[in-house]
Amino acid sequence: MDDSNFFSLDRLVEFGMSAAIAQQMIGSMNQSMQQMFTPGSIQTMPQAQASRIYVGIDGVQHGPLSESDIVSLVQQKRITKDTLAWLPGMAAWKPIEQVPEVLRIIAMTPPPLVP
């Protein structure tokens, strides 16, 4: 067999190594994309565990709150994008627009039904 033949040992080894490297790249890219969140997409995002969300309204801490509590406060217009939120593990309070777990709840809350 000569080296120009596709089935030569060198070509088969080269093909096998290329396939293995491609598989590793695909696995790495899939893992990165699964950890990525695109606002407005249907993909999942790390979710805040129920009843672990705290918010500050008019300088008063409220919580732990469930998702339904958050939805209710949004509908009452007591929570805005500037409202401070905190979850276990966060070093400091942040505006809700900087807390993806809470922002997801707000984004999924339908606007008021106006006839």
Side-chain angles (χ1 to χ4, degrees):
M1 273 189 177
D2 62 35
D3 286 340
S4 63
N5 186 339
F6 178 75
F7 295 105
S8 71
L9 185 57
D10 288 341
R11 296 282 183 188
L12 290 175
V13 169
E14 181 180 317
F15 179 76
M17 289 177 60
S18 297
I21 291 170
Q23 273 302 113
Q24 288 179 338
M25 289 174 59
I26 290 169
S28 176
M29 289 173 62
N30 282 339
Q31 182 179 7
S32 295
M33 290 179 73
Q34 287 174 352
Q35 294 173 354
M36 194 181 308
F37 174 72
T38 305
S41 69
I42 298 177
Q43 72 194 64
T44 59
M45 173 168 62
Q47 297 189 13
Q49 294 184 1
S51 300
R52 294 186 53 158
I53 302 167
Y54 294 81
V55 296
I57 300 172
D58 298 326
V60 178
Q61 175 181 315
H62 296 272
L65 302 173
S66 67
E67 286 189 17
S68 61
D69 295 331
I70 299 289
V71 168
S72 177
L73 290 169
V74 168
Q75 289 171 339
Q76 296 169 24
K77 298 184 184 200
R78 296 190 64 209
I79 289 182
T80 68
K81 64 181 178 78
D82 298 317
T83 300
L84 295 178
W86 182 86
L87 294 164
M90 290 176 55
W93 290 76
K94 293 183 181 180
I96 283 179
E97 67 180 351
Q98 295 177 16
V99 184
E101 296 91 337
V102 182
L103 193 56
R104 177 191 61 80
I105 298 168
I106 294 171
M108 299 303 292
T109 302
L113 182 62
V114 180

